[in-house]
Amino acid sequence: MVEDVGGTRDSGRLVLAGLPIGNVEDAPPRLLHALEGARVIAAEDTRRLKQFASRAGIRLGGDSGARVVSYYDANESRRSEELLTDLRRGEEVLVVTDAGMPGVSDPGYRLAAACADEGIPVTAIPGPSAVTTALVVSGLPTDRFCFEGFPPRKGLKGYLAEIAGERRTMVFFESPHRIAATLEAMADAFGADRRAAVCRELTKTYEQVRRGGLGELARWAADGVRGEISVVVAGARPRAELTGDDELIAAVAELEDEGVRRKEAIGRVAKETGVPKRRVYDLVHGVVAAE
């Protein structure tokens, strides 16, 4: 049975508000009204929120002022409990992060999940998203996509190998000091010719979208890339579910030509076609004859 919980009579309400990802003029009137009328605001960076309010020409909490508290990765667990106390006694809590939507690679999920469990109403003030903005300007297919967030710092090679066969367009976030290494690892895992776009400083003065193969982009990024970065990567090319032996051998050879090691290429072709890995291995190494 599905239960629709609308909140208890005495509970407050959690409002997740999306801030512009760069251009203050992208702020909708509803967001500005909410910031001016808020009594409790949880912000990822209180200083940056106050700077945003100053640029937008508003006063947080209006004439009476708002209680603004920090809400970031290191204190998210503790602060969520404190904000839940406010919500339980009927307060409305507005959560904002530095840019974009709370809960998407930013604090917010934990508190929203807790409110859902307790039946406390949760709503959102939509705003610009770096995920969909990067996707639509990338020039890559938008009909099916997935968001992968920040690639892991450890185990990057294995992680990329696991998603190499993903057929949907993929959107990632990455930091400036890691972007070159990440693009190089993507070129190794996905193929140097896999189409991609590096989108930096979206909606800002120095916005840039660089498109090309992953190998080309990795070489470009080696000179240094600054700013907020999103990476959009084309999905894997579909392969026929049932292929002949010659096609399997050719598929492995194609991946090897793109720089993928033979063992990994065999595994990827086997996974994408549904053919047993041992069969592909034997074909590539001439153990069995083509039928």
Side-chain angles (χ1 to χ4, degrees), residues 132-140 142 197 199 202 207-209 211 232:
T132 51
T133 302
L135 177 68
V136 297
V137 302
S138 70
L140 297 173
T142 60
C199 309
L202 289 170
E207 175 179 297
Q208 180 183 24
V209 179
R211 305 176 182 88
V232 187

Side-chain angles (χ1 to χ4, degrees), residues 172-253:
F172 303 83
F173 288 163
E174 191 50 287
S175 61
H177 69 278
R178 294 181 58 199
I179 184 62
T182 295
L183 288 170
E184 185 176 353
M186 286 180 173
D188 289 340
F190 302 159
D193 293 330
R194 178 83 73 93
R195 291 187 301 152
V198 177
C199 309
R200 55 176 295 272
E201 296 294 271
L202 289 170
T203 77
K204 300 177 184 177
T205 302
Y206 298 104
E207 175 179 297
Q208 180 183 24
V209 179
R210 182 88 179 198
R211 305 176 182 88
L214 283 168
E216 174 191 349
L217 290 173
R219 291 189 292 274
W220 164 75
D223 292 332
V225 181
R226 296 181 179 180
E228 300 286 337
I229 300 170
S230 300
V231 180
V232 187
V233 181
R237 289 174 293 177
R239 302 181 188 277
E241 292 185 4
L242 298 176
T243 57
D245 292 347
D246 290 341
E247 287 80 11
L248 291 170
I249 295 171
V252 173

Side-chain angles (χ1 to χ4, degrees), residues 11 43 65 110 130 132 154 167 214 277:
S11 69
R110 189 170 293 173
T132 51
K154 295 183 178 179
R167 296 184 182 181
L214 283 168
K277 186 176 180 180

